Amino acid sequence: MAHRSRPGALRAFASAVLRSEGVPGPDAELLADTLVMAELWGHASHGMLRLPWYVARLRSGATQRVTRVTTARDTGALLLLDGGNGIGQVVTDYAVARGVERAKAHGVSAVGIRNSGHFGTAAYFTRQAAEQGCVAILCTNASPAMAPWGGKQKSIGTNPWSIAAPAGRRGVVVMDLANTAVARGKIYLAAERGTPIPPDWAADADGNPTTDPRAAIEGLLLPMAGPKGYVISFMFDILAGVLTGSAFGNQVAGPYEPDRRSGAGHLLLTIDVAAMTDPAEYDARIEALIEATKSGPQAAWADEILVPGELEDRAAQLNADGIDLTETTWQTLKALAAETHVVLEEA
């Protein structure tokens, strides 16, 4: 059974719950917006089902209620920030603002972030930079989810990454993906829905492919594209964890772990389009690329050709009048509503 709620009502609910836990108003609104935008884009795996996880971490002290970002190193175009074990979304939002600011001043910027937390959907943040005329690349490390190629013990995170770029009259083009066959949140979502998963998504604790999401949670995620997914994840752990001085490998804790500090690290690279080329010429070129791509011959199984980010933009329009939540998610939100005395509205 699905429960429908309006996006605005979900934002207000999540924000009020977080404020009741001692999170400052602007930070609560930001975190709430990242969850609802994930729902609007059709990525429920990164949406409201995660709110109880974040609240549990706030209550245990694993995540600090008040996020205080400090500067560890500053060379102008390069900035190293320390998130102080605060809310990952708040830390990353601060980093994006600094990254765009420095890119506008220097043409390019690199912002490393250590001692942060899970930040939700990476595209939420790279889109912000693209909307301000920059190309942005954001990567993060995450808690162990897959084994190294040839191994059988999970020690490598999904370590997702996103690239976004301005797209002229098309708005923004953006990709956001984990280096496993699927994001771990989609396994949790399948478990909530009681639906099987494809056999190439995960393996059980013995390393055997499984279609049971519960067995997958206890087991391993499989890398995308075989060993390619593993090596990409490994290198992003270097960029986000080792290079920044944050946790790496099996030292990183996931958002579903209520009482361990995350230790997640991120790296943001930002390029000002205007520093590289004439913005009008860039717009014309990227629009030409998009048009040529979309107008190409279609495969027999396809209705049309999409460019990165287009699917999410359409989903946001379709879901604007209401978001459907699973029964399990709804019940966990109702429990939060009772605990915090915040009203949860159903459309």
Side-chain angles (χ1 to χ4, degrees):
M1 177 181 177
H3 295 265
R4 173 161 283 226
S5 186
R6 295 184 305 278
L10 286 178
R11 283 191 187 91
F13 170 75
S15 178
V17 166
L18 292 164
R19 290 197 307 273
S20 77
E21 297 293 332
V23 176
D27 294 356
E29 291 172 7
L30 171 65
L31 178 48
D33 190 55
T34 65
L35 296 175
V36 175
M37 283 308 306
E39 295 281 358
L40 287 169
W41 288 330
H43 299 306
S45 58
H46 287 62
M48 293 299 291
L49 73 81
R50 295 183 177 235
L51 180 60
W53 299 356
Y54 290 135
V55 169
R57 293 180 56 78
L58 291 167
R59 289 174 177 174
S60 74
T63 300
Q64 297 298 305
R65 290 176 167 85
V66 179
T67 302
R68 295 183 173 89
V69 183
T70 57
T71 300
R73 189 178 294 264
D74 186 350
T75 67
L78 185 146
L79 191 63
L80 178 61
L81 303 174
D82 193 307
N85 301 301
I87 297 169
Q89 287 87 340
V90 177
V91 176
T92 309
D93 185 71
Y94 180 90
V96 169
R98 303 289 82 73
V100 170
E101 174 187 89
R102 300 301 175 92
K104 295 292 185 180
H106 302 283
V108 62
S109 69
V111 181
I113 305 104
R114 67 189 185 196
N115 299 323
S116 184
H118 187 273
F119 58 38
T121 324
Y124 183 93
F125 301 101
T126 56
R127 279 176 177 264
Q128 290 181 2
E131 288 165 358
Q132 297 177 72
C134 294
V135 175
I137 304 172
L138 173 64
C139 67
T140 183
N141 60 8
S143 57
M146 66 173 162
W149 193 253
K152 63 178 183 180
Q153 181 176 359
K154 59 184 177 184
S155 61
I156 307 286
T158 58
N159 299 353
W161 53 303
S162 174
I163 304 174
R169 61 185 176 84
R170 290 281 186 172
V172 168
V173 287
V174 56
M175 59 140 264
D176 182 349
L177 54 86
N179 298 304
T180 41
V182 66
R184 183 161 31 195
K186 294 189 184 297
I187 304 288
Y188 279 94
L189 184 63
E192 284 201 358
R193 291 174 172 170
T195 56
I197 59 175
D200 58 351
W201 277 15
D204 62 21
D206 294 322
N208 301 311
T210 183
T211 59
D212 180 354
R214 294 291 176 187
I217 290 171
E218 299 302 321
L220 303 166
L221 292 184
L222 299 176
M224 69 167 186
K228 295 178 182 179
Y230 153 61
V231 297
I232 294 172
S233 261
F234 185 92
M235 298 307 295
F236 280 146
D237 205 5
I238 294 173
L239 294 178
V242 176
L243 180 63
T244 65
S246 204
F248 55 87
N250 59 16
Q251 301 171 7
V252 183
Y256 45 83
E257 298 179 73
D259 53 9
R260 285 183 60 202
R261 287 186 172 178
S262 169
H266 325 307
L267 182 68
L268 172 70
L269 304 176
T270 310
I271 302 169
D272 180 18
V273 169
M276 180 75 75
T277 186
D278 175 66
E281 181 182 350
Y282 169 87
D283 286 350
R285 288 167 60 81
I286 197 166
E287 287 169 9
L289 172 62
I290 292 170
E291 292 300 331
T293 301
K294 290 182 65 63
S295 63
Q298 295 174 22
W301 52 264
D303 295 325
E304 64 175 315
I305 297 171
L306 302 176
V307 294
E310 193 171 7
L311 193 63
E312 285 79 6
D313 288 339
R314 291 187 183 183
Q317 293 178 350
L318 291 173
N319 293 325
D321 293 332
I323 292 169
D324 292 328
L325 302 175
T326 68
E327 176 69 21
T328 302
T329 297
W330 188 256
Q331 292 304 323
T332 60
L333 296 182
K334 281 185 65 177
L336 271 182
E339 293 166 6
T340 57
H341 308 291
V342 175
V343 175
L344 175 63
E345 295 182 7
E346 187 169 7

